[in-house]
Structure formats: structure tokens, C-alpha cells
């Protein structure tokens, strides 16, 4: 059964290493889990902005190294739902949830709430899956309005296999004036059992 990422990548899907394919496939019940650790970093001046963005469901408003992270993926009604749970060393738990849906021309749009989304274009380059942020969008009345890049920044994601069952991911948001304003990156075991 194909999924949102297979449709977006087309023939490029077959070029992905096994660990990256496992990252996007769901089990028979439509659910899969990735487990790993992430580093979350951003400059101190971003804390107020990240606190506001967190209020609308976007990003993670706390720095940390090797933060235990579980990512549950569920396919439903043509969308791919992501439930991310980050557990910091002091026990604080932060959730970051979103839903991906197909965009135009092979893009995907990740909505962090019903209104705010990020349109990205996935493509395969060598053995890497890369995403280029196209625009942030605001959905009002069924229409998408572009938010200027200078407001939030430009996003990129790079995913690559470590071996047949693990992958590395690196998400960065770079502002045209302020430079890199947010990054999270880590290594995950792809598609593990929810009981593991």
C-alpha cells in the first residue's frame, strides 16, 4: 500500500535506503513508532519567539542534548499524523504534534494546527532524503496564504540512513538576517514496535 511520501517522491521512493523507507511506512494498523535521541538548539534571543510559537503548537521551546524522543506516526484520511514526545533529563515532557497532507506538485504541507503550516518539497539526493522549505502558509477559509520567509526563516531537513534500521535527521530553520534560529537533529531506530 502506498503512502503520502511514496506519492510525493514517485520513482525516488525506490532509491531510499531501507531505514528511510521504514521511517515512512506504517504497520498493518496504520501506526509505526521511531525511537531515538535528539539535540535541540537555538540562540538565546529566540526563547520569546519559540514560547509564542509553542502556544500555536510549533517547534520545541527548550534546549537539550540527547533528549529521549519517541515519534508515533499514524496514517488516516490521506494525512500522516506525527506525535513527537521529548523527555528531557529532568523528566519534563514536551509534545510536538503535526499532520502532513499532500501539497501541489509533489510537495507536502505540515500543519502544526488547523491554520499554520509549512510547505516542503521532498527529493532524493544520493542516499539522502532532503526537504526544502517552500513557504509557510496560513489556511483561512480553505485558501492558503503565504507568510513571508523573513518572518520565520527558511527550513531544510536532511535524513540519511545510518544502517538498515537506523537513520539520522537534521532539521534547521535559518533566518535571512539572524542566521540559524532553530535546529533539532538526532538518530532514530525506524519503525520499532510500540512496546519496545
Amino acid at each position: 500500500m502506498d503512502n503520502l511520501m511514496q506519492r510525493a517522491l514517485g520513482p525516488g521512493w525506490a532509491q531510499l535506503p531501507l531505514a528511510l523507507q521504514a521511517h515512512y511506512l506504517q504497520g498493518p494498523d496504520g501506526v509505526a513508532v521511531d525511537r531515538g535521541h535528539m539535540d535541540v538548539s537555538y540562540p538565546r534571543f529566540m526563547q520569546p519567539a519559540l514560547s509564542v510559537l509553542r502556544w500555536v503548537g510549533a517547534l520545541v521551546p527548550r534546549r537539550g542534548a540527547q533528549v529521549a524522543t519517541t515519534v508515533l506516526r499514524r496514517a488516516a484520511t490521506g494525512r500522516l499524523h506525527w506525535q513527537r514526545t521529548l523527555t528531557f533529563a529532568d523528566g519534563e515532557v514536551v509534545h510536538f504534534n503535526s499532520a502532513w497532507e499532500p501539497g501541489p506538485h509533489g510537495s507536502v504541507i505540515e500543519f502544526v494546527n488547523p491554520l499554520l503550516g509549512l510547505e516542503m518539497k521532498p527529493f532524493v539526493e544520493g542516499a539522502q532524503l532532503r526537504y526544502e522549505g517552500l513557504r509557510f502558509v496560513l489556511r483561512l477559509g480553505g485558501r492558503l496564504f503565504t507568510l513571508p520567509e523573513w518572518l520565520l526563516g527558511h527550513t531544510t531537513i536532511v535524513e540519511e540512513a545510518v544502517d538498515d534500521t537506523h537513520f539520522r535527521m537534521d532539521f534547521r530553520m535559518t533566518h535571512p538576517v539572524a542566521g540559524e534560529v532553530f535546529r533539532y537533529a538526532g538518530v532514530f531506530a525506524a519503525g520499532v514496535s510500540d512496546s519496545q
Side-chain angles (χ1 to χ4, degrees), residues 14-67:
Q15 299 171 34
L16 288 181
L18 293 176
L20 292 181
Q21 288 188 7
H23 175 47
Y24 291 97
L25 292 174
Q26 283 74 46
D29 58 355
V31 176
V33 178
D34 298 333
R35 295 189 191 282
H37 292 83
M38 283 202 312
D39 296 335
V40 182
S41 60
Y42 51 85
R44 188 173 304 279
F45 71 81
M46 278 298 294
Q47 190 64 61
L50 286 169
S51 296
V52 170
L53 286 170
R54 185 68 196 144
W55 186 73
V56 297
L59 300 178
V60 178
R62 181 173 174 185
R63 293 184 201 89
Q66 290 298 293
V67 180

Side-chain angles (χ1 to χ4, degrees), residues 25 48 52 54 61 63 72 77 84-85 92-93 95 100 120 127-128 130 136 138 154 157 161 166 177 180 188 195:
L25 292 174
V52 170
R54 185 68 196 144
R63 293 184 201 89
L72 185 142
T77 62
R84 303 168 187 90
T85 303
E92 181 183 359
V93 175
H95 299 280
W100 288 19
M120 303 174 285
Q128 294 181 331
R130 303 178 74 91
F136 287 92
L138 188 63
H154 180 73
I157 304 173
H166 295 81
V177 175
E180 188 175 284
F188 292 84
S195 61

Side-chain angles (χ1 to χ4, degrees), residues 64-88:
Q66 290 298 293
V67 180
T69 305
T70 300
V71 181
L72 185 142
R73 293 182 318 284
R74 179 176 50 84
T77 62
R79 303 174 91 199
L80 187 57
H81 298 266
W82 301 80
Q83 295 174 306
R84 303 168 187 90
T85 303
L86 289 78
T87 305
F88 288 82

Side-chain angles (χ1 to χ4, degrees), residues 107-108 118-123 130-136 149 153-157 171-172:
S107 68
V108 296
L118 167 62
E119 183 178 355
M120 303 174 285
K121 177 68 175 174
F123 60 97
R130 303 178 74 91
Y131 293 82
E132 194 70 30
L134 300 177
R135 62 182 178 149
F136 287 92
E149 191 167 88
H154 180 73
T155 59
T156 58
I157 304 173
F171 171 94
R172 297 176 191 233

